[in-house]
Each structure stands twice: as C-alpha cells, then as structure tokens.
Amino acid sequence: MIRAVMVMNTQGKPRLAKFYDYMPVEKQQELIRSVFGVLCSRAENDTQLVYKHYATLYFVFVFDSSENELAMLDLIQVFVETLDKCFRNVCELDIVFNFSKMHMVLNEIIFGGQVLETSSSEVMKAVEEITKLEKASNAISLVPKSVSSWQS
C-alpha cells in the first residue's frame, strides 16, 4: 500500500502532501521534515521511500513492503508525465496555483493508497472528462430565468 505522496521544493517546502494511512498532523509534519532531511532513508522499519528530483521539485512516494520500488519509480514518472501534459512542462508555480487539478491527477493514479492507473494517456482522458463535466456544471443556472427576471 502507498502510504503517502509528497511533492516538495528544494528548500523543503511541501507543495503536495497526501497521506493514505491515518496519522495525526504532528506526525505528518514530522514525516515531511524527516523525508526532506534524509530523502533516501527509511522513515520507519516497514516503510520504504523513493523519490525523483525534477528541476526544483522532489516527487516522493512513501510505501510499505508490499509495493515494488521500481514500480513506484515508474509511477512517479507517470505522475510527472501526466502533470507535464496538463500544464505543458510542469513547474512549481503550476502546482501552487492549480492545486485541485494536481489532486485530480493524483486521484486518478492512486486512490486510497492503491494504484488505479499506470497509463498517462488514460489518466489524461479521465482528467479531461472531469474538466468537461465541471465546465458543464458551472454553465448550468440553478435559478430559472423567470424567477431572476421577477426579482428586477
């Protein structure tokens, strides 16, 4: 099971921290600090950690022994490729200003600590469909025109 996904900049500021295993906020912050302090060490005995460094961001996956390290590295690659497709060369500002879209992408790849999809193109299809539905729902007026004209 994947226990956490983190994206942090080179100064250690977390840009995304999603935990799939319950832990108190203090413990989450402690884990984030320790992950940044020793990006290649283990946080706990049965917990493993893999990361990739792209420009000014570290993409970190924390997981247990039931997952494969190489598969997790590949999953980081899928996550970054999908973000690149969404934002055309993703950077730290894209993550800061499009937080909900980044979560949407991550939720299409991992849900509840389990890997759902490993194909970047399939994730993009799902994200585009969700975006279309969001735009369509924003275009729907909940107040009938007859009522809104009555008020004026």
Side-chain angles (χ1 to χ4, degrees), residues 9-100:
N9 67 14
T10 53
Q11 285 81 39
K13 185 164 182 126
R15 295 304 183 185
L16 169 85
K18 187 158 187 163
F19 296 88
Y20 296 101
D21 217 8
Y22 172 76
M23 60 176 68
V25 175
E26 298 82 22
K27 186 112 172 133
Q28 291 176 4
Q29 291 173 345
E30 181 184 321
L31 181 61
I32 291 170
R33 281 191 297 273
S34 68
V35 162
F36 182 71
V38 249
L39 275 172
C40 58
S41 72
R42 295 180 180 202
E44 298 173 10
N45 292 340
D46 63 341
T47 302
Q48 297 176 339
L49 179 135
V50 295
Y51 72 95
K52 274 192 166 184
H53 185 202
Y54 294 95
T56 61
L57 296 171
Y58 289 100
F59 289 80
V60 183
F61 281 26
V62 181
F63 54 95
D64 62 22
S65 58
S66 69
E67 299 289 345
N68 181 305
E69 291 178 11
L70 293 176
M72 293 297 101
L73 280 171
D74 189 48
L75 204 57
I76 291 173
Q77 183 67 33
V78 168
F79 185 41
V80 173
E81 281 177 12
T82 307
L83 291 174
D84 274 344
K85 289 178 184 176
C86 284
F87 303 115
R88 292 177 184 76
N89 293 328
V90 67
C91 68
E92 188 173 349
L93 289 177
D94 292 324
I95 293 169
V96 171
F97 293 117
N98 297 290
F99 196 70
S100 62

